[in-house]
Amino acid sequence: MKKWIIIATCICIFLTVTLGIIYIQLIPLLKDYGKMEIERFNQLIISHCYMTDQKQYDDLVIIERNENNEIELIDFDMIKVNQLASQIVLDIEKTYAQIEDGSYQAKDESAYQKRVEEVSQTGIIASISLNTLFHLPSFFLLPSIPVNYKHLSSVGSSIVKNIENYGVNHVMIELSIEIRMNIAMVYPFFEQYHTQVISIPILLEIFQGQVPLVYSS
């Protein structure tokens, strides 16, 4: 009897060590897949999250011209821009807060709303199949590894402006808001910390005229 107990114990130890070694070797692949899935989910949330009044986008650019209709000053209405950025961040934080405390409710029957509600209930962003990691056919019924995530801090934002000459006698003005998130991807037995920055284009307009020299120096 003792002999079989020893054999069974040795087999268990051998299997545990073997599976541990295999899992350690899979960690780089898991991190790559997990990062890709997390970033794709965050991009999905941000692209659907912010809903603002169209009036907030009006008159964001201030242009002053001289008597010859030449551009002398290009500026942005930073009060409006900051209000817009704040509204976007608040909308995103509200959605993430509801997801993380499990209270998000789908607002309609769209695939997006159902997806977010599912993640809110399970906490799982993605399930990475071992078949995929080992490049095996689907009929090998190997388990999947769940990937969860959690935010480490509030969503932050910064405003990015770009003014440059465009074509002949035109100026192109771009305005975007960069959303920065510090997140942790939670795998079985370890976590990976990651900062993701997503740029939201707010404005792209082309005006007749040249960029004043003050912007070119």
Side-chain angles (χ1 to χ4, degrees):
M1 185 67 180
K2 290 183 179 180
K3 178 181 178 181
W4 289 109
I5 293 176
I6 294 173
I7 292 174
T9 302
C10 291
I11 291 174
C12 289
I13 293 174
F14 174 77
L15 290 175
T16 300
V17 172
T18 301
L19 291 174
I21 292 173
I22 293 174
Y23 187 71
I24 290 174
Q25 292 176 339
L26 286 177
I27 285 178
L29 288 174
L30 281 174
K31 287 182 176 182
D32 289 340
Y33 273 94
K35 180 180 177 180
M36 179 180 66
E37 293 293 343
I38 292 290
E39 290 183 348
R40 184 163 62 180
F41 180 75
N42 285 332
Q43 182 69 64
L44 181 70
I45 293 294
I46 290 178
S47 63
H48 284 79
C49 187
Y50 69 95
M51 297 296 295
T52 56
D53 189 338
Q54 181 60 39
K55 291 182 180 179
Q56 289 182 279
Y57 295 87
D58 296 337
D59 303 322
L60 290 178
V61 181
I62 300 171
I63 294 182
E64 294 183 5
R65 298 177 182 269
N66 58 23
E67 62 275 6
N68 297 321
N69 202 34
E70 297 172 338
I71 297 176
E72 288 189 331
L73 173 68
I74 301 175
D75 205 350
F76 294 90
D77 187 333
M78 294 310 298
I79 294 178
K80 283 189 175 183
V81 172
N82 286 321
Q83 288 175 343
L84 180 58
S86 297
Q87 184 61 51
I88 290 173
V89 169
L90 286 174
D91 288 343
I92 293 171
E93 286 188 328
K94 179 181 177 181
T95 300
Y96 279 126
Q98 292 175 342
I99 291 173
E100 290 172 3
D101 64 21
S103 64
Y104 190 92
Q105 297 292 323
K107 300 176 178 62
D108 53 49
E109 294 300 313
S110 67
Y112 165 74
Q113 292 291 339
K114 290 181 179 179
R115 168 73 170 136
V116 176
E117 183 178 37
E118 177 186 357
V119 172
S120 177
Q121 293 172 353
T122 65
I124 298 174
I125 296 295
S127 294
I128 303 175
S129 172
L130 289 178
N131 294 70
T132 301
L133 293 177
F134 288 118
H135 303 288
L136 296 174
S138 59
F139 58 78
F140 288 97
L141 301 179
L142 297 180
S144 297
I145 298 176
V147 179
N148 299 59
Y149 90 118
K150 60 184 178 181
H151 279 282
L152 302 178
S153 63
S154 299
V155 177
S157 68
S158 59
I159 297 167
V160 179
K161 300 176 285 185
N162 182 45
I163 301 171
E164 61 183 43
N165 286 315
Y166 180 80
V168 180
N169 196 35
H170 285 82
V171 56
M172 182 172 66
I173 298 175
E174 295 178 278
L175 179 67
S176 60
I177 295 176
E178 288 187 346
I179 303 298
R180 178 180 295 272
M181 296 168 291
N182 297 316
I183 57 179
M185 289 162 277
V186 184
Y187 305 86
F189 309 116
F190 77 96
E191 295 184 357
Q192 180 187 13
Y193 300 97
H194 176 57
T195 297
Q196 183 177 0
V197 178
I198 298 177
S199 180
I200 302 175
I202 297 301
L203 179 73
L204 175 60
E205 289 195 35
I206 297 174
F207 298 90
Q208 185 174 6
Q210 291 291 319
V211 177
L213 292 177
V214 66
Y215 295 97
S216 302
S217 59

